[in-house]
Amino acid sequence: MSAPCIQVEGVAKHWPGQAQPALAALDLEIGEGEFVALVGASGCGKSTLLRLVAGLETPSAGRIRVDGEVVRGPGRDRAVVFQDYSLYPWLRVHENVSFCLALRAHFGPASLAEVEAAVARAHALLELMGLDAVRDHYPSQLSGGMRQRVAIARALLARPRVLLMDEPFGALDAQTREVMHELLLRLFQIEHHTILFVTHDVEEAIYLADRVVVLAPGPGRIDSIHVPVLPPPGERRPELKLAPEFLRYKQLVLERIRATSGVRHDLDKLDHLAELSRRARPD
Amino acid sequence: MTGGGSRDALWAVRGILGGRSYLVLAALGFASFVGGWWLLAASGLVDAVFLPAPDAVARRWYAWFSDGSLLVDVRVSLGRVLGGFSLAVLMAVPLGLYIGTFRPLQAFFEPLMEFARYLPAVAFVPLVMLWVGIGEAAKIALIWIGTFFQMVLMVSDNVRQVPMAQIEAAQTLGANRDEVISRVVFKSALPGIVDTLRITLGWAWTYLVVAELVAANSGLGYAILRAQRFLQTDKIFVGILLIGLLGLLFDQGFRLLHRRAFPWLHAR
Ligand SMILES: Nc1ncnc2c1ncn2[C@@H]1O[C@H](COP(=O)(O)OP(=O)(O)OP(=O)(O)O)[C@@H](O)[C@H]1O
Ligand SMILES: [Mg+2]
């Protein structure tokens, strides 16, 4: 593995009023330029971990370092792409994308050349993300897929070292998701970010990532880490999702999630419900 | 037939109504109000001293207008409303913005404001007269008391409606605290704040009339009070209708401003 970029060291998170910690003494290292997908049962602490790395929450114990520096709050080196509602509805698409250019952190006393380079990059990103035709639209006029493209472009324009994505495609339909996957893979051939990607979709996780981390709930901890032996991300094509070795990894990861999610109980309850329904319909 | 019906159907739940139909129905609403009033007055069931007919009111309106005092009264009242209201806005919007943004300020101010808004503004009239006399300052003070506290609470509520994701996105893009407040929180809350101002301006008119009924020698409220002394019911009607009309005018002005200033809310 290359030099570590994100180091999670013994991190725990207790939410006030909750018996069990959301995360307990978690260790994880993510290498420079690596794409790590985080999967696991609902409520196992995926978002909590991502928000801790973003600096949007503070750990109850342990520490997180990014490029050797301890995370103490949100910063422009770690951009976040949220699932929804994070675009600025009062700004047009191109204004949303260039939002960071108006911030002092990016352009204190900037030279003209720097500003020009940034504006050119904004143009290039709009073009790459297929947003040229809608650059003057408001977010409310866009489809869900288009909105997420804007959110990704906005994050990338800030030139972050790390990109944190929390179910960025969670609200999209299957076809749009597929398009976004190809877009992401292409994008990361050009820009080499370190990426932490939270998703519910195991197929998406295996297809996009170098490594897939399965979290187990109650308390949140790492269950297993999977390193699928597949072509490098840049050479993956949608057909890969049907290949036997891909399906084997998918099966494996799904089994781990199922084993840790405690869904088994619910099957007894289903029998119970069936019994009740039978009694309610005496015929 | 399905449960809800098509949204084009006239009585569909949250149905769609064309702009022209809307206008026609609104005009019908006003017409039926005036018609009912006219019928009641013409029926002779009610003495004209208590309920003057619409045409008598219209004649009085014209007479008041042509002797020049109506415009003076309107101007005086308008000045007071806008004075008291602007003062409240200038203080309430920044305060509400910070209360809605910072928890300690919320804890410090909000219970106090909740308490203050239940103090009956009208009961302050004698106090205000003691404190600032019966000049213009008294009317402005009363309008301020009647609107400021509500406005602060409503603005801070508007500010708290800003989605956390919008704030966090800015923070992770490198925005500092001032930038988050000025570029995200304020911008995001602004449409709601303008709506708050539209609603509170209506209350400002109410307190104007209270102030002018008690201590004034000009303005629409004062004109209404004097008309009562001379049993000029028609003039009272004109005064009331005028205030209603001015209120409607400002309301529509705010709505127009809303559409102009916030095109993204109306673009589809
Ligand atoms: N702000 C908060 N305050 C209190 N408890 C929280 C908070 N955020 C998360 N939790 C709790 O922490 C646990 C982990 O939540 P988290 O959102 O990280 O799970 P997740 O894996 O992202 O779930 P999902 O897949 O449903 O998004 C849950 O039990 C949740 O109730
Ligand atoms: Mg989550």
Side-chain angles (χ1 to χ4, degrees):
Chain A
M1 199 165 72
S2 47
C5 175
I6 304 174
Q7 292 164 287
V8 179
E9 301 167 351
V11 163
K13 180 70 186 175
H14 294 261
W15 292 109
Q18 295 213 341
Q20 230 166 20
L23 293 176
L26 196 136
D27 292 296
L28 181 65
E29 257 188 24
I30 300 177
E32 174 88 55
E34 198 185 8
F35 191 133
V36 169
L38 208 54
V39 297
S42 185
C44 67
K46 304 183 294 290
S47 297
T48 303
L49 179 57
L50 181 129
R51 292 175 57 82
L52 283 164
V53 176
L56 295 169
E57 312 284 356
T58 36
S60 314
R63 62 180 178 180
I64 294 171
R65 287 193 287 181
V66 171
D67 285 332
E69 289 220 23
V70 175
V71 169
R72 295 190 197 289
R76 55 172 292 208
D77 55 330
R78 286 152 289 133
V80 181
V81 178
F82 300 87
Q83 184 174 352
D84 213 346
Y85 303 118
S86 76
L87 290 183
Y88 300 125
W90 62 93
L91 297 179
R92 295 170 190 278
V93 164
H94 70 95
E95 295 166 327
N96 259 292
V97 169
S98 5
F99 179 81
C100 72
L101 299 188
L103 302 175
R104 240 160 309 175
H106 293 267
F107 288 97
S111 71
L112 190 63
E114 277 177 302
V115 175
E116 272 173 1
V119 170
R121 187 171 149 75
H123 276 298
L125 271 170
L126 280 170
E127 236 167 65
L128 176 70
M129 302 296 269
L131 292 168
D132 239 9
V134 295
R135 65 191 305 280
D136 287 321
H137 286 40
Y138 289 109
S140 63
Q141 297 171 299
L142 301 183
S143 64
M146 283 300 210
R147 273 183 225 177
Q148 284 315 76
R149 290 177 191 221
V150 178
I152 294 169
R154 181 179 66 177
L156 289 179
L157 193 65
R159 289 190 159 285
R161 300 269 298 127
V162 173
L163 202 55
L164 304 165
M165 306 173 114
D166 193 352
E167 301 192 31
F169 311 140
L172 306 185
D173 62 85
Q175 282 80 40
T176 314
R177 253 167 199 259
E178 194 141 282
V179 174
M180 297 302 287
H181 293 164
E182 300 315 308
L183 190 64
L184 273 198
L185 287 180
R186 227 166 5 118
L187 194 62
F188 298 136
Q189 287 310 105
I190 306 169
E191 308 224 334
H192 303 279
H193 299 91
T194 304
I195 297 162
L196 183 59
F197 187 101
V198 168
T199 177
H200 267 124
D201 182 345
V202 171
E203 189 175 278
E204 172 175 278
I206 298 173
Y207 186 64
L208 294 176
D210 299 308
R211 278 197 296 162
V212 177
V213 175
V214 178
L215 282 196
R221 65 211 129 85
I222 291 178
D223 172 79
S224 50
I225 297 181
H226 305 262
V227 191
V229 185
L230 296 172
E235 289 165 28
R236 296 179 190 174
R237 296 289 171 265
E239 306 82 74
L240 179 67
K241 293 173 188 169
L242 299 172
E245 72 269 27
F246 187 94
L247 292 173
R248 209 168 44 245
Y249 286 118
K250 186 174 165 186
Q251 190 62 29
L252 195 70
V253 173
L254 277 174
E255 256 163 35
R256 285 318 307 156
I257 295 176
R258 222 170 283 141
T260 56
S261 68
V263 171
R264 204 103 344 125
H265 300 295
D266 297 352
L267 293 181
D268 309 338
K269 289 178 189 143
L270 202 60
D271 287 339
H272 183 55
L273 179 67
E275 172 61 28
L276 288 179
S277 316
R278 244 196 319 282
R279 262 188 270 162
R281 244 187 302 119
D283 49 26
Chain B
M1 192 178 134
T2 54
S6 136
R7 284 185 71 199
D8 293 327
L10 202 51
W11 296 109
V13 175
R14 292 265 181 99
I16 295 166
L17 190 65
R20 181 169 304 171
S21 317
Y22 184 95
L23 279 182
V24 168
L25 285 172
L28 266 178
F30 272 100
S32 60
F33 165 69
V34 176
W37 172 17
W38 184 78
L39 274 181
L40 196 62
S43 70
L45 287 173
V46 190
D47 194 321
V49 174
F50 299 129
L51 185 70
D55 55 311
V57 171
R59 269 197 305 280
R60 169 66 72 179
W61 196 319
Y62 182 71
W64 190 5
F65 172 76
S66 48
D67 81 10
S69 59
L70 184 140
L71 283 183
V72 174
D73 284 326
V74 167
R75 201 165 56 227
V76 167
S77 289
L78 215 60
R80 288 167 182 161
V81 166
L82 294 184
F85 179 74
S86 312
L87 195 64
V89 171
L90 285 179
M91 298 166 78
V93 170
L95 189 59
L97 177 63
Y98 284 103
I99 290 176
T101 306
F102 297 113
R103 288 288 169 191
L105 289 183
Q106 183 187 357
F108 186 91
F109 280 109
E110 213 167 52
L112 186 66
M113 296 287 153
E114 290 281 2
F115 165 71
R117 84 182 165 121
Y118 281 108
L119 302 179
V122 178
F124 273 85
V125 170
L127 265 185
V128 165
M129 281 161 70
L130 275 176
W131 288 339
V132 295
I134 56 166
E136 289 310 295
K139 287 103 191 168
I140 290 184
L142 194 72
I143 292 170
W144 183 87
I145 292 172
T147 51
F148 171 75
F149 302 103
Q150 299 271 13
M151 210 189 274
V152 170
L153 290 171
M154 287 167 77
V155 169
S156 65
D157 227 39
N158 296 139
V159 169
R160 269 193 297 273
Q161 300 286 321
V162 175
M164 204 56 208
Q166 289 181 4
I167 294 171
E168 290 178 341
Q171 288 172 330
T172 59
L173 290 169
N176 62 28
R177 202 169 55 181
D178 292 344
E179 286 170 333
V180 169
I181 294 173
S182 64
R183 292 187 180 276
V184 177
V185 176
F186 183 64
K187 291 275 174 58
S188 189
L190 199 53
I193 293 176
V194 169
D195 261 334
T196 292
L197 299 193
R198 179 173 64 80
I199 292 163
T200 40
L201 183 58
W203 302 338
W205 278 101
T206 311
Y207 290 107
L208 165 86
V209 175
V210 171
E212 287 185 343
L213 283 178
V214 179
N217 47 27
S218 59
L220 291 171
Y222 170 71
I224 290 174
L225 188 75
R226 203 183 37 187
Q228 183 219 353
R229 273 191 217 131
F230 295 104
L231 226 59
Q232 293 171 316
T233 334
D234 47 3
K235 191 161 179 181
I236 297 181
F237 269 66
V238 177
I240 292 173
L241 289 177
L242 253 177
I243 291 173
L245 217 59
L246 284 171
L248 184 66
L249 214 67
F250 275 98
D251 200 86
Q252 292 300 314
F254 263 113
R255 284 177 198 275
L256 188 71
L257 172 75
H258 209 277
R259 269 199 300 279
R260 283 281 155 80
F262 312 124
W264 69 92
L265 291 175
H266 308 276
R268 274 285 159 193

